[in-house]
Every structure is written in structure tokens, then in C-alpha cells.
Amino acid sequence: MMVMRVIRCNCKIVRVMSLGKSQIKCIAKVLSLWYKKDIFSQLLKELSEIWPTTPLDEDAQSIKTRSLSALHMTQRWYFATNVLGVWFYNVTPIVKYMYRWLKEGDGQIGFVWVSWYPFDKNGTVAHIAVYIFEIFAGQTCVWIMVSTDLLFSGMASHISMLLKLLQRRLQCFGTTPQTDDVNYQEIIAIIKLHQRLIRYCNDLEGVFSFSNLVNVVLSSMNICCVVFVIMLLEPLPALSSKLFLVSALIQIGMLCWYADDIFHANGDVATAAYNSGWYRTSPKCRRSLLFLIRRAQKPIAFTAMNFTNISLATYSAILTRSYSYFALLYTMYREN
């Protein structure tokens, strides 16, 4: 009996740490979004101007369809796990109360979160008010988290798609007989679009840089704490924590995936330019194309406030650190 009390006490402490980190992430994201709302508005307006419209050739349309399908699937999973996770947290005290009432004939409804209030929250009216407030607070936190992450993933996915469409356009350059002036105007339009995409990525990186830093710094400890809670909790509360773990893995994985995708898509622009029909064009077109190749060789990377580049290697490092922290925490717990 004493052992179970100690386990529950330790789980509550770790859950408070985990939820506290989530609240810090939400506050940081909403402040960043509000502070730079004018830049967001400008970025969305600019994205609508460079968005590829019909008619597109078959390969370009296939690139666009695959990109949008992958984005929709990822965002649906992320949205579903977050909403289901927070509602499992919301209804867990009620389900536990009903289970105790059916089994023992008596019970008391607990609270959604482990929180401190400057008043006695166990009174009837206070209990109801606190329970409703905690549902509202948890749901608001999830909406902030989901909205900012979906905004970043959507904009990053579209930029990656535009870079891939630019590759397709470069591969077709010079393959059909055209005058030198037409070829030159085509390569100038491609260079201007590439520069615009680079500037767009830099602006997007500046907007989300602080939010990315918070994600990278806190994700390892957050995942570690959630896994520790799952290992020690009974099945019902652990179900909510498992959904929370899935959403945390999707969140940081989505960030690293799209950052890595843009990094490689920009590098592949130089390869597509080299594989074009540049040898059929005039020296002036070749010089312009060489300028594009040199610029594409300079990587575009999302950073965490310039401390580190974000990529799939970052995701692997976060998971490795999470496992190391969990192994240390679990070993200390077993020894004590």
C-alpha cells in the first residue's frame, strides 16, 4: 500500500513537470504568434501570390497532389491525437469516479490537472468551477499548440512543394527549341522565383525561430516524463498519457521533417539545373544558370534561434536524449 502511494506521488510530480513544460511551450508560441502577426499576414498574402494554379502538366500536378495529400494526412493525425488526448484527460476523473462507485459504492470526482489554487477547491461549487476551468484551460492550451504547429507545417509544406515544382521547371528548361531571348527570360523568371522562395523561407524561419527553440529544448524532457508516467500509471490514466506521447512525437517529428524536406529540396534545385538542357542555350543563359546553381548550393535551414539547424538528425538526437533521460530517471527510481 505504501509503495503504491509513493508511485502515485512520483507520477503526479512527473506529470506536473510534463504539463508545466507543455504550458510553457503554449505561452511561448502564442506570444510569438501575436507579436509577429503582421509578418504572418504578409507571408500568407505572399504565399497566395506564388501558389501554383492550373493548368499544370501531369508531373507537376502529381507533385502538387502528393504534397497536399501528405500534408492533410499528417495534420489530421496530429489534430486527432491532440483533441482525443486532452478529452481523455478531461473525462478520466469522471470515469474513475464511476468505476469506484460501481465497485465500492462510494467515490469522489477528482480534478483534471494537478494544480494549486489560493482557495479550497474541494467545496461543491468550487469543485465544479475548478473542473470546468481546467477543461477550458487544457482545451485552450491544445488549440494554441495545434494552431501554431499546423500553421508552420502548412506553410513549410507549400514552400517545399514550390521548390520541387521549380526543380521540374528547371529539368524542362532548354529541352525544346526556343530563341535565346525566350530562354533568357525563362531563366530570369526561375531565378526570381527561387530568390523569392529563399526570402520567404528566411522570413518564416525568423518568425518561428523562438518557437522552434522552445520545442527543441523542452521536447526531450517532455517525452522522457511522459514515458516515465506511462510505465508506472494504471491503464486508464496511461491511455491519456499515451495519446499525449504520440502527439509530442508527431509534433517534433513534423517540425524536423518539413525543415529537412526544404533543406534537401533547395539542394536538389542545383541538381535539376545541371540536368537541364543548358548546353543548348546561349552563353548568357549559361552564366545566369550558373548563378542559380551557386545560390542553390547555399543551404536553407530552419534553426532554433541560430543555436542549431533543425533536420531529421535533430529528431534522432531528441529521441536519443529522451531515452537517456528516461533510463537515468527509471534507474534512480528503482534504486530508491
Side-chain angles (χ1 to χ4, degrees):
M1 198 65 187
M2 180 64 67
V3 173
M4 292 303 298
R5 289 178 180 176
V6 172
I7 290 176
R8 291 193 184 98
C9 181
N10 290 334
C11 287
K12 286 183 178 180
I13 294 173
V14 177
R15 286 183 69 185
V16 169
M17 292 172 60
S18 176
L19 296 172
K21 295 181 182 68
S22 298
Q23 292 174 353
I24 292 173
K25 289 167 71 174
C26 290
I27 293 172
K29 286 185 175 185
V30 73
L31 289 178
S32 176
L33 185 65
W34 177 82
Y35 181 70
K36 299 184 178 180
K37 57 182 181 296
D38 294 334
I39 301 177
F40 276 113
S41 177
Q42 181 62 32
L43 289 175
L44 291 173
K45 180 180 178 181
E46 188 174 356
L47 183 61
S48 65
E49 294 174 356
I50 59 180
W51 179 254
T53 56
T54 55
L56 297 174
D57 60 61
E58 185 177 351
D59 291 337
Q61 184 63 43
S62 178
I63 292 172
K64 181 179 178 180
T65 302
R66 288 199 306 269
S67 177
L68 293 178
S69 297
L71 176 64
H72 291 162
M73 182 181 67
T74 304
Q75 290 188 340
R76 286 193 188 105
W77 275 102
Y78 182 60
F79 178 84
T81 53
N82 275 277
V83 173
L84 287 176
V86 73
W87 275 104
F88 266 105
Y89 275 110
N90 292 339
V91 301
T92 293
I94 298 177
V95 175
K96 292 174 68 175
Y97 163 75
M98 294 178 64
Y99 174 77
R100 293 195 191 100
W101 184 78
L102 292 173
K103 186 177 180 180
E104 303 173 2
D106 189 17
Q108 182 179 2
I109 299 178
F111 296 93
V112 181
W113 314 111
V114 181
S115 306
W116 175 85
Y117 296 92
F119 55 85
D120 183 13
K121 63 180 182 180
N122 294 313
T124 303
V125 177
H127 196 149
I128 296 174
V130 168
Y131 196 93
I132 295 174
F133 169 75
E134 290 183 349
I135 291 177
F136 173 77
Q139 193 66 51
T140 302
C141 183
V142 167
W143 284 129
I144 293 172
M145 187 81 69
V146 169
S147 61
T148 53
D149 291 333
L150 294 187
L151 178 62
F152 172 81
S153 63
M155 298 175 79
S157 173
H158 295 334
I159 294 304
S160 175
M161 178 191 66
L162 289 168
L163 286 169
K164 293 175 182 177
L165 291 175
L166 186 64
Q167 297 171 26
R168 169 64 185 167
R169 190 173 173 182
L170 277 168
Q171 290 171 353
C172 298
F173 175 73
T175 56
T176 57
Q178 290 180 335
T179 63
D180 289 340
D181 289 338
V182 173
N183 284 332
Y184 184 71
Q185 293 301 321
E186 174 70 11
I187 193 60
I188 291 300
I190 291 175
I191 290 174
K192 288 183 178 180
L193 178 58
H194 186 236
Q195 291 176 335
R196 192 172 185 179
L197 292 176
I198 292 174
R199 185 173 64 254
Y200 190 96
C201 288
N202 292 333
D203 293 340
L204 190 63
E205 194 275 333
V207 169
F208 282 99
S209 185
F210 179 71
S211 176
N212 292 340
L213 175 64
V214 175
N215 276 329
V216 170
V217 170
L218 296 182
S219 290
S220 297
M221 294 181 287
N222 212 9
I223 294 172
C224 164
C225 292
V226 175
V227 173
F228 184 78
V229 169
I230 291 173
M231 292 292 294
L232 300 180
L233 274 180
E234 57 269 20
L236 181 60
L239 183 59
S240 303
S241 299
K242 288 174 184 176
L243 289 171
F244 185 79
L245 174 63
V246 172
S247 66
L249 292 173
I250 295 177
Q251 179 191 45
I252 192 64
M254 188 168 56
L255 168 66
C256 296
W257 172 269
Y258 284 115
D260 190 82
D261 198 26
I262 290 177
F263 177 84
H264 289 290
N266 180 65
D268 291 340
V269 168
T271 304
Y274 181 78
N275 293 331
S276 67
W278 57 268
Y279 47 86
R280 299 191 183 99
T281 61
S282 65
K284 182 170 66 173
C285 292
R286 297 177 191 178
R287 286 193 296 268
S288 300
L289 199 60
L290 180 61
F291 171 79
L292 174 66
I293 293 174
R294 293 291 300 272
R295 184 61 187 87
Q297 289 174 342
K298 184 179 180 181
I300 300 177
F302 287 95
T303 67
M305 294 292 288
N306 295 320
F307 285 106
T308 181
N309 291 340
I310 299 175
S311 64
L312 288 178
T314 308
Y315 187 52
S316 177
I318 289 173
L319 295 181
T320 302
R321 285 197 301 267
S322 300
Y323 177 76
S324 300
Y325 297 157
F326 166 75
L328 177 62
L329 185 62
Y330 191 69
T331 301
M332 293 175 60
Y333 172 77
R334 293 187 62 183
E335 289 179 352
N336 294 328

